[in-house]
Amino acid sequence: MATAKAALKAAKQAIDAHQYDQAIHNAKTALTKDPRSYHAYVFLGLANNKLGEQSKAVTAYDKATSIKGDDILAWQGLIAVYDTSNPPKVAEYQDAALRLAQIYELRNERAKCQQIIDKFLLFAKSGGSDGLYRRALEVILPSSPIYNYLEGLIPHPSLTWIKIAGLLEKEETGKINKQIGERRTRLGAKLGQVTSEVKREVYQASPLEGVYEEIINWTLDDVIRHQYEEQLLLRAYDTLIVLPTAGKRAKRDKVLKLAQDLVILKREVSLAWHIVFEWKDAESILSYDVSTWNEFIELFPGEGLALVFKGFLASDVSPFSSINPKASESAGDPNVDEAPSEENSAIESDPLVLMTDGLRDVSRSTLAHRLVAEYYLHTDEYEAATETARIATKLAKDESSLTGLNFVETLDAIGLLLGTALIYYQTPKNHVEAQDLFGAVLKRTPTSATALLGSGLILQQQGKYEQAAHYLKTATTRDPSDVKIRAEYAWCSGLGGSYEIALQELQDCLPMLQLHSSKSRELKSVILYRIGMCIWELKQDRKQRKDRKGPYSYFLDSLKANLNYAPAYTMLGVWYSDYANDEKRARKCFQKAFEISTAETESAHRLAESFADSGEWDLVEAVARRVKDSGRAKPLPGSNKKGLSWPFAALGVVEINRQDYPGSIASFQASLRIAPESYHSWVGLGESYLNTGRFIAATRAFQQAEEIDSAQKSGIEEGWFARYMLANVKRELGEFEDSINQYRLLLETKPTEFGILIAFAQTLVESGWNNIELGFFGRAVDNAIEAIDVLNGTQAVREDAFNLWKTFGDACALFTWLSTESSRIPLESIHRFLSRGEAFLTEDLLSEFDSIDHTTIASLNSGGDTDISRPYQALRAAVLGHKGAISVSVNDSHAQAVAWYNLGWIEHRAHTFTTQSRQDKSSVKYLKASMRCFKHAIELEAGNSEFWNSLGLVTTQMNPKVAQHSFVRSLFLNDKSARIWTNLGTLYLLDNDTQLANEAFTRAQSSDPDYAPAWLGQGILAQLIGDPVEAQMLFTHAYEISTPSTLICRQQYAVSTFDSLLTSSHQPQASLLSPVFSLRQLQTLDPENIPLKHLLALFLERTGAHTEASTLLESVCATLEQDYEQSESPITMALFAQAKSDLARSQLNIHDYTSALDNALTALSLFSDSSTSTKPRLSSNLTAGLALTFQNPPSPSSALPHFQAALSSLPSTSPLHPSITALFSQTLWAASSHNLAQETLLSSAELHPSHLQTTLMLGAIAHLNTDTETLAAVKDDLQSFRADHALPREQASQIRALLRVIAPSDQDRTSELCAAVMLDPGEMEAWRALADGVDEEEGGYVADMARETAGRKVPPRGGVGAEGLASALEGSGRVRDLQVARFVAPWRGRDGD
């Protein structure tokens, strides 16, 4: 023991000397001697603390307190350690301080006890977090073991609880914000959902509500108590909002209890009052305590809900007394001013103002919206009632979701309000929704009178009177004293046909009415009107209905009871219109009825008809659109009432008049959905489709209208318009035959209908132009003749119509394009038309230019009979027709502008026609007249691009500057026109500005790639810059996309094709068919065009049509000879010589050798060495030589000079020289100059060794002369020729034939035949020759191969013709093949002859 004490003493001395390591050593030595030495642990803890070893110090002090817990040294040491700890250890400090304070309490050292607690709280506040400080404050709460000892020296518990509450609020706010910030960044997180989750977690774990309750319990300050009572309610309510549904009940009960307590105490806590009001599930407004409302109004006079209460209590709809209890109590107080305040005056004057102002402040209040909806429904503001009730329903459901309350009664009551409003708002659009609402209420409350009445009214409006009567009867049983229900039940019986029963019931209802309110007076008005309607239906006789003491008097009495009852006005309007013949009063009644209610569709219909009859289309639209927007036009699904189609049809007609065709289509479609059998709606729909260019749809619409008309058996007298419009559609579609036939059928029953007649004539003219474009010129003449006849008949109906004269002019103009049919021009019919309308031609418009006036009419009937003069007379008639159109359109500026435009083009046509036909030497006068016409048109309508374009065209030659200005102006008005760009490009082309021309043509092609003249202009440009290949491609493309009436495209295509033909060594005949066809059409349109006729003959010559070519060339020669006799022009003589040369060549091809010789000699006599090219003379010499050679008798000697002349005109290097030399050698051989012929050929062979014909002739001569050496050389040359796969088929056949002939033996001949097959296995003739050259046994297979090869080489895969195929078939010897051969080429004999 002495040793332990010594160690303790040494330790104490070491500590005093600040030798803490030695002190620790001594303390540990003491502990080895006495492990339970209290002071050793104290010294050890103190020394470690001084050395900074706080954990070791705490361990030592803990062991000391465990040995002697009531001693203060160890606890003081612990506190000293915790005072300097880092981080602060508040919790441990709190335990140590509380234990030390308890020791001081035992020692009754109160000051030291308070000091240690104060020191600890100061440490916790400054060194710890808010949470630790909050827990530290618990040591001075009543729950603390030292509270009773220190009471009076420490703060009051309420103050401590307030501090704790503040700390908790701050802590929770920080935690909520932090968690929300972290979680909202998660994928798919929503801010509202995250906020609710975080608050739920925090609130559920929070003790704050308990703290608020402790403050309320301990505080002595009423203000603080009231403050924290409100805070407690708010916190409990916030917690309720975020709790899951399963956990809401207990919290909801607590919130409600808190709110009710505050309301009982009349505390000014708005939330409490709102909770009490909003959470009440009330079936009726009477379920609420009106005294509570008044108390709320007194406490919160300016709050929104208070204003709503004030307005509602002051209105007629309130079931409570509008006198404020407080006001009644103060009524006897002499100190209270009896004069009403301005506020009370406002309430009494307009409660709605208060209610709407208050509703804006409490937009989340279900009760406020319910009260306002009640008021709106009472005042028949059904739209506002509907919107407000919908909001109330949503708010109630939202409140139910937040609080967990069901609000069954409240939702039913609001549903009844909404359903009742929907009965009348946009009826019958909302009937389905209303019926669902009433049905839902009746499932829970089958005896609900309001739901029964609402269901009955809906069924009644839907025409389901039996079902409606069932509901209304049940409602009557539920409440027999309700006059409205009884009246509705009675009226339902009347609508069902029992008017007598309904009349009696309605009359019984009148005495039951108590006219104490406006609603009662309105109900009386309804009952009186319905009594009148019952009498109206019971008395069908006109005299009884007309009696002013009958239904009329009840309708008047109804309006006396309520001046705003619309149905009474409607029936009065019907009475005035149908029985009093007072349309003015009737119209006023209908207007008044429709102004009051859109449900009066009968008034609306009659008003619309009246406005339409007077042409007031704006008013028609207003009426029809209002009915449409009301929702009454379309029937509801399941309703027995038919919809109203007339509002949509009326809107369609209005929109057609405004040219709003998409809108009219939609309107007529809506009309037809309601009334599919409406004839007029189908016609209107078809007309709308027609005007929008949807011709197929228009056709179907008119066909449907026609079928409806036929089904209704109304006949064409009623349905002709649909057939007429259908014919118009066919015309727009280009189906002219169907359209013409339809017009003819219509004219059988409507022969004097001007619209049909003029449309028929216009269709005939359009069909004529279409036939010209398609090349059906005979049909075009037929159309024009019939059009003239129809116009003569139309003139008897009306002769001052613009379209009549225009169509006549167009019909006459057709004949100017059909010169080949000039003999069929009906000049007498034309003269008859103009004679009748001569009164419109007396102004002699532009006669100073074109010399055509009313005096021209007389010359038409006696006009010449030549093919040229008759079209010219028709052209002059066309000019007169368009002048007549100008005369009859003086009152219509647009029509007159178009008439001048049309006259301008016909004058231009006169210019081109007379220029081509040489009918009038001064054709420029028509061009001047045309220019003047277009200027007139521009003066009348300067914004028309076509007018400027036309002026540019006619001034192109006369004044290029004006033309350029006109084209530019036209493009300014319409820069998308390919035609205008092409015209401008042509102008630049004429001015040799290739760059601008190219840009203009390119713009035209981009604007319309299918516009042929644009590509034609580009081709001419390519030709000018020296690119014939590109030009030919462009001309071909222009021809392919052009119409037959585009003459310039066809002409240029044919010319360019012929030019390319002259430069090509080989041209398939199939490629010549298109230019031949094109030139034939051009000849038909312009038969007097000599160059085109000559060109056609040259094409026909190359296609093998030599007879037709000869005929055309004879005509060309005759015309040119006639022209030369008149003009003696050297150019004409040269053309005549060329034509004679071509004619001689064609006659040679048809074996007319005598004529060929004569014409060739004539051509040679006309050719001049200095002025004529080599080719014509060469052709004439060759033709003359061949004609002399082949004539009967032949004269080859006479032909030799012509061949010699041909050879002398060509250089020896010419590619034609060896061919003519071969021909010359053949003629020498025929003239018996065999040696000279052979020498000539040998000389030619030296100059042209690759000329096959020369080699063949040398081989033939060598074979005849048995010249084996020459034959061997020829054979080698032929074998080399044979290896050329590009060798023409005819030349290859000649080589095979000569090799077969010169073969020395049969075996060699067979070898040659086999070699021919091997070299060209696809050649039918090689197989055929081999079949003929082998024996019968082997020839069968070879003949089959010849047949198969021929079958593969027929067009378009090869060039084997009908005769070649027939020859190959005959070679097989089979009966079937012989029959096929006879079918393929019936003109052949068995042996091919």
Side-chain angles (χ1 to χ4, degrees), residues 765-790:
V765 173
E766 291 179 13
S767 178
W769 288 112
N770 182 66
N771 284 325
I772 287 178
E773 290 185 355
L774 296 176
F776 301 133
F777 305 116
R779 297 181 187 177
V781 174
D782 295 338
N783 292 142
I785 294 173
E786 187 175 2
I788 297 294
D789 293 338
V790 172

Side-chain angles (χ1 to χ4, degrees), residues 532-828:
M533 285 302 301
C534 289
I535 298 173
W536 181 277
E537 295 296 337
L538 289 171
K539 296 182 178 181
Q540 299 284 341
D541 183 65
R542 179 178 178 82
K543 184 177 180 182
Q544 291 176 328
R545 287 187 172 181
K546 191 175 181 181
D547 186 6
R548 288 182 178 269
K549 296 181 180 180
Y552 172 79
S553 63
Y554 284 97
F555 297 144
L556 278 181
D557 291 341
S558 174
L559 290 177
K560 290 176 183 178
N562 180 12
L563 283 175
N564 292 321
Y565 190 56
Y569 283 108
T570 298
M571 290 310 301
L572 277 178
V574 173
W575 189 87
Y576 282 124
S577 177
D578 296 349
Y579 298 94
N581 296 324
D582 191 345
E583 293 296 333
K584 185 176 181 181
R585 285 189 176 181
R587 188 166 181 172
K588 289 182 178 179
C589 289
F590 291 139
Q591 285 179 334
K592 184 66 176 177
F594 192 58
E595 286 173 4
I596 295 172
S597 173
T598 56
E600 296 308 305
T601 55
E602 178 63 25
S603 292
H605 193 188
R606 292 191 179 230
L607 274 178
E609 288 180 340
S610 175
F611 291 142
D613 292 340
S614 59
E616 300 174 79
W617 294 108
D618 290 340
L619 295 177
V620 172
E621 180 188 18
V623 172
R625 196 169 296 282
R626 191 177 177 199
V627 175
K628 171 194 168 187
D629 294 342
S630 70
R632 296 177 180 274
K634 294 184 178 180
L636 287 179
S639 174
N640 292 341
K641 283 193 173 182
K642 293 183 178 180
L644 302 175
S645 64
W646 68 264
F648 299 99
L651 286 173
V653 174
V654 171
E655 285 153 349
I656 284 180
N657 290 333
R658 293 180 176 176
Q659 298 183 355
D660 181 12
Y661 301 115
S664 65
I665 289 172
S667 297
F668 284 122
Q669 286 176 339
S671 173
L672 289 169
R673 291 189 193 101
I674 298 171
E677 301 300 319
S678 174
Y679 169 81
H680 295 288
S681 294
W682 280 111
V683 172
L685 180 62
E687 187 174 355
S688 301
Y689 280 138
L690 175 61
N691 288 320
T692 55
R694 298 168 63 179
F695 302 120
I696 302 300
T699 301
R700 294 173 181 171
F702 288 128
Q703 288 175 344
Q704 184 66 29
E706 191 175 355
E707 291 176 3
I708 292 173
D709 178 65
S710 302
Q712 294 174 353
K713 299 181 180 179
S714 57
I716 197 168
E717 290 298 328
E718 295 293 334
W720 69 270
F721 187 74
R723 295 176 174 82
Y724 166 71
M725 294 301 295
L726 182 59
N728 290 342
V729 175
K730 296 287 187 182
R731 167 186 165 190
E732 294 293 339
L733 286 171
E735 300 177 8
F736 297 109
E737 290 299 323
D738 293 342
S739 180
I740 290 170
N741 293 334
Q742 193 73 32
Y743 285 130
R744 285 173 179 155
L745 291 174
L746 286 168
L747 288 173
E748 291 178 3
T749 53
K750 291 282 184 180
T752 60
E753 185 66 38
F754 176 77
I756 300 176
L757 287 167
I758 198 66
F760 184 29
Q762 288 175 330
T763 305
L764 287 168
V765 173
E766 291 179 13
S767 178
W769 288 112
N770 182 66
N771 284 325
I772 287 178
E773 290 185 355
L774 296 176
F776 301 133
F777 305 116
R779 297 181 187 177
V781 174
D782 295 338
N783 292 142
I785 294 173
E786 187 175 2
I788 297 294
D789 293 338
V790 172
L791 290 169
N792 273 295
T794 308
Q795 195 178 31
V797 178
R798 181 182 174 186
E799 60 180 2
D800 61 344
F802 167 78
N803 283 334
L804 175 71
W805 288 91
K806 174 188 178 299
T807 307
F808 174 78
D810 292 342
C812 293
L814 270 172
F815 295 113
T816 66
W817 296 87
L818 304 166
S819 299
T820 55
E821 304 287 342
S822 59
S823 60
R824 298 179 59 192
I825 299 176
L827 290 178
E828 293 182 1

Side-chain angles (χ1 to χ4, degrees), residues 426-440:
Q426 292 186 349
T427 181
K429 177 181 177 181
N430 298 312
H431 280 179
V432 175
E433 182 182 357
Q435 190 68 57
D436 292 341
L437 291 170
F438 292 137

Side-chain angles (χ1 to χ4, degrees), residues 1227-1246:
T1227 308
L1228 287 173
W1229 187 274
S1232 300
S1233 300
H1234 297 170
N1235 293 331
L1236 183 58
Q1238 188 173 9
E1239 291 175 0
T1240 303
L1241 287 172
L1242 289 172
S1243 299
S1244 178
E1246 291 178 0

Side-chain angles (χ1 to χ4, degrees), residues 868-879:
I868 296 178
S869 61
R870 292 179 70 85
Y872 183 60
Q873 296 298 339
L875 180 61
R876 299 172 71 190
V879 173

Side-chain angles (χ1 to χ4, degrees), residues 41 169 277 315 325 328 336 406 415 426 482 487 491 608 644 705 862 873 918 1079 1110 1165 1194 1246 1356:
Y41 280 115
E169 290 170 355
F277 292 144
S315 66
S328 62
V336 177
N406 291 326
Q426 292 186 349
D482 194 323
W491 181 237
L644 302 175
S862 58
Q873 296 298 339
R918 299 179 296 279
L1079 287 169
S1110 297
S1165 66
E1246 291 178 0

Side-chain angles (χ1 to χ4, degrees), residues 60 357 618 621 974 1387:
D357 289 345
D618 290 340
E621 180 188 18
N974 179 18
W1387 59 87

